[in-house]
Amino acid sequence: MWTILLLTASNLLMTMAWYGHLRFPNAKLWQVILLSWGIAFFEYCLAVPANRIGYRQYSAEQLKVIQEVISLSVFPIISFLWLGEAVRWNYLAACVCLGAAVIFIFKF
């Protein structure tokens, strides 16, 4: 459970580091880069322990798929709430495909 919680928190931070600045198009690029790197530092402080803890229970491939599922779950929330973008049907279709990846990585 710690792995999932830490990966979720790290994904929230990383999504904000990568995309949060898009809400401020007039900000200077160097400022955005510094802020993003600052956020990414804390993201790594969560992601690295999450993977170290998770590797006791999951394979590296399983950890990666878990991370991708969390990432694709976090992204539309940030995109909708922070950037005001709509979630489109093709994004939901991609999530279904990722659901198939979860089945393949954990069942076969």
Side-chain angles (χ1 to χ4, degrees):
M1 188 56 144
W2 278 110
T3 300
I4 304 301
L5 292 173
L6 289 169
L7 284 175
T8 300
S10 77
N11 262 283
L12 282 166
L13 288 174
M14 203 58 177
T15 301
M16 288 306 293
W18 286 354
Y19 300 101
H21 62 86
L22 297 177
R23 187 170 173 181
F24 307 101
N26 295 326
K28 296 187 183 322
L29 184 58
W30 68 269
Q31 293 171 328
V32 170
I33 291 169
L34 287 178
L35 180 62
S36 293
W37 272 92
I39 294 169
F41 169 77
F42 293 103
E43 183 271 338
Y44 271 68
C45 290
L46 298 172
V48 170
N51 285 306
R52 288 183 69 91
I53 293 166
Y55 195 59
R56 297 178 194 151
Q57 183 177 1
Y58 305 108
S59 69
E61 293 86 1
Q62 289 172 326
L63 282 169
K64 182 59 181 171
V65 169
I66 290 168
Q67 185 272 324
E68 292 299 334
V69 168
I70 292 170
S71 181
L72 283 177
S73 300
V74 165
F75 184 77
I77 295 167
I78 300 297
S79 178
F80 177 74
L81 294 177
W82 185 254
L83 298 175
E85 293 187 3
V87 178
R88 299 186 323 231
W89 72 269
N90 58 335
Y91 188 86
L92 297 174
C95 289
V96 170
C97 293
L98 191 55
V102 170
I103 292 169
F104 279 100
I105 202 75
F106 281 95
K107 297 292 182 188
F108 299 107

